[in-house]
Amino acid sequence: MQPTDVQPADAELAQDQPATVKKTLAVDIGGSGIKVLILDEQGNPLGTRDREKTPDPATPDAVIAIIEQLASQQSDYDRVSVGFPGVVRQGVVFTAVNLHPLWQGCDLAQQLSDRLGRPVRVANDADMQGLGAISGQGVEMVITLGTGFGTALFTEGQLVPNLEIAHHRFRKGETYEEQLGREALKRVGTTTWNKRLTKAIASLSHAFNYDRLYLGGGEVKQIDTALPENVKVVSNVLGLLGGIKLWQSAETARR
Ligand code: BGC
């Protein structure tokens, strides 16, 4: 929808003036760090990315306090997009395996909006990253490799929200996240982790028959295995840049 805040009486005046550009504060809540960056309407970064360690325990109050602090150090913004590491429906958190049980049922969009005084949209972190990475054509899948194992799925640019592969059984009685999350990487080292990643890609390729797979997240730097031709490593910054798309996507709007 086009902005409709220019009234007819103002229209002539507005012709000579640049349209108001909405600035979006993009927030990525991760298991180890919370990152923020302000974006223009095209999703280009304005200013520099800032980061704080995820608090321990990562309760809603503690995490929201850090976001508030990071936001206060940024220049002004009009709205907020949040990537959250769990299942989120209409701004409300359903799961947060790597944060804290108190997140269950937390209306993060509402709570953050009350604190920051701006409208807030929240999506699963892999969904937000994917929105920044995909081409919008065909079936596209995204995996994020960080504390957890994030997954996102799109068909012709449309998000299938909250695809949760992480906690499904993968191999040797363990889930994808138990085999490929940061804990596993530290425990088994990069060689074994890369072998597991190759197997996970093959397994997901057979299950989803995607046209393209994007690999993002902080641990993509550990990838040293050859990847199939339709698999591409994307920058971790896309986790934030995808924030602009939450304001163009019907799935993430509160209804
Ligand atoms: C969560 C996902 C999340 C992923 C990456 C998993 O443990 O269940 O929702 O996308 O970690 O943060």
Side-chain angles (χ1 to χ4, degrees):
M1 202 160 76
Q2 293 302 310
T4 52
D5 45 8
V6 177
Q7 299 302 311
D10 296 330
E12 209 172 307
L13 188 71
Q15 273 177 8
D16 304 328
Q17 297 185 351
T20 321
V21 176
K22 280 217 189 308
K23 293 182 190 161
T24 304
L25 178 76
V27 182
D28 182 25
I29 303 176
S32 62
I34 299 174
K35 292 143 251 166
V36 298
L37 178 66
I38 293 187
L39 308 173
D40 71 11
E41 287 197 38
Q42 278 70 48
N44 302 309
L46 300 168
T48 50
R49 194 186 83 142
D50 203 359
R51 182 185 193 275
E52 276 291 332
K53 268 185 152 174
T54 304
D56 185 12
T59 58
D61 282 351
V63 169
I64 288 170
I66 299 241
I67 297 174
E68 213 176 351
Q69 177 212 322
L70 283 165
S72 70
Q73 292 157 6
Q74 294 286 316
S75 58
D76 202 17
Y77 56 91
D78 304 287
R79 57 194 185 184
V80 183
S81 293
V82 183
F84 183 87
V87 173
V88 182
R89 287 203 199 96
Q90 293 159 43
V92 179
V93 172
F94 280 73
T95 67
V97 175
N98 293 311
L99 294 181
H100 195 278
L102 277 178
W103 278 101
Q104 224 172 16
C106 171
D107 191 338
L108 177 57
Q110 188 63 56
Q111 287 204 23
L112 208 52
S113 178
D114 292 346
R115 297 281 277 268
L116 300 177
R118 318 280 203 289
V120 176
R121 287 190 180 182
V122 186
N124 170 265
D125 55 356
D127 288 352
M128 187 157 119
Q129 168 119 15
L131 285 164
I134 56 160
S135 72
Q137 275 156 20
V139 177
E140 297 179 280
M141 188 161 190
V142 180
I143 295 177
T144 64
L145 299 163
T147 306
F149 184 86
T151 44
L153 187 66
F154 300 83
T155 62
E156 303 301 335
Q158 292 296 307
L159 171 67
V160 180
N162 294 308
L163 178 76
E164 285 278 311
I165 301 292
H167 312 294
H168 285 266
R169 196 169 159 152
F170 172 34
R171 56 193 289 275
K172 304 211 164 165
E174 290 191 338
T175 64
Y176 282 84
E177 186 158 301
E178 283 164 346
Q179 286 254 308
L180 284 156
R182 187 168 288 127
E183 285 290 306
L185 172 60
K186 279 195 211 145
R187 205 173 48 246
V188 301
T190 47
T191 308
T192 302
W193 183 84
N194 270 278
K195 283 187 189 145
R196 291 177 175 185
L197 180 62
T198 305
K199 289 180 182 149
I201 291 172
S203 160
L204 296 175
S205 165
H206 288 132
F208 291 96
N209 294 294
Y210 49 73
D211 295 302
R212 274 170 306 283
L213 170 68
Y214 303 90
L215 302 177
E219 299 300 356
V220 288
K221 53 183 184 293
Q222 308 294 346
I223 299 176
D224 64 4
T225 181
L227 297 170
E229 183 256 322
N230 62 346
V231 180
K232 195 175 141 196
V233 173
V234 293
S235 156
N236 196 24
V237 182
L238 294 177
L240 287 164
L241 299 188
I244 198 68
K245 301 276 169 59
L246 295 197
W247 292 93
Q248 299 154 4
S249 160
E251 285 96 348
T252 56
R254 289 172 78 87
R255 284 169 284 247

